Amino acid sequence: MQTISSDIIRGYNDTMILFLLSNNPSYGYEISKNIKSLTDEKYIIKETTLYSAFTRLENNGFIESFSQEADNGKKRTYYRITEKGKEYYKEKCSEWILTKEVVEKFIIQESI
């Protein structure tokens, strides 16, 4: 199975995380698992990449973290999207549409 290089997708990690937080707060492992599942295992986000993204997104005011007790009684850090994060997500979606349009000009649909 072909997988996606982390170099190619790096600029869209934030978009994927914000998408997953757009409906419900979540925590790191669950977000990682959902990315893996939604991409049919074609992209597996590294833990360091994920937590770097959380830090960046939180520092920019796009998400906020809070502690909550998990079912097993342990405290877990959850993240939720902010209004500013929702606006940033919309910007990133528009950017993707333009990026895809530009890059597709250089993609050959049949094999070379």
Side-chain angles (χ1 to χ4, degrees):
M1 174 191 333
Q2 188 174 5
T3 59
I4 297 171
S5 160
S6 59
D7 289 337
I8 290 173
I9 207 159
R10 181 178 295 128
Y12 289 91
N13 285 324
D14 292 359
T15 308
M16 291 184 279
I17 292 166
L18 292 172
F19 169 80
L20 291 170
L21 294 176
S22 65
N23 292 319
N24 295 305
S26 191
Y27 55 95
Y29 178 71
E30 185 174 57
I31 289 171
S32 173
K33 196 169 67 171
N34 285 333
I35 288 171
K36 183 178 177 180
S37 174
L38 286 170
T39 64
D40 297 322
E41 298 186 17
K42 290 180 180 100
Y43 180 57
I44 299 169
I45 192 167
K46 294 177 185 166
E47 191 174 324
T48 54
T49 302
L50 182 62
Y51 285 95
S52 293
F54 286 153
T55 300
R56 182 178 53 258
L57 289 166
E58 192 163 24
N59 287 343
N60 287 318
F62 301 141
I63 64 172
E64 55 191 15
S65 61
F66 61 97
S67 291
Q68 186 171 314
E69 195 171 294
D71 294 338
N72 62 8
K74 292 182 179 178
K75 284 208 177 225
R76 182 178 280 155
T77 300
Y78 282 78
Y79 300 90
R80 70 177 142 240
I81 193 168
T82 63
E83 286 303 315
K84 187 176 177 183
K86 290 176 185 177
E87 288 303 313
Y88 180 65
Y89 173 74
K90 288 178 192 173
E91 289 171 23
K92 293 297 283 182
C93 288
S94 294
E95 178 186 88
W96 169 250
I97 292 167
L98 179 59
T99 301
K100 184 178 170 199
E101 181 182 314
V102 169
V103 172
E104 282 183 340
K105 302 283 184 198
F106 302 93
I107 302 299
I108 297 171
Q109 296 300 321
E110 69 255 8
S111 60
I112 295 177

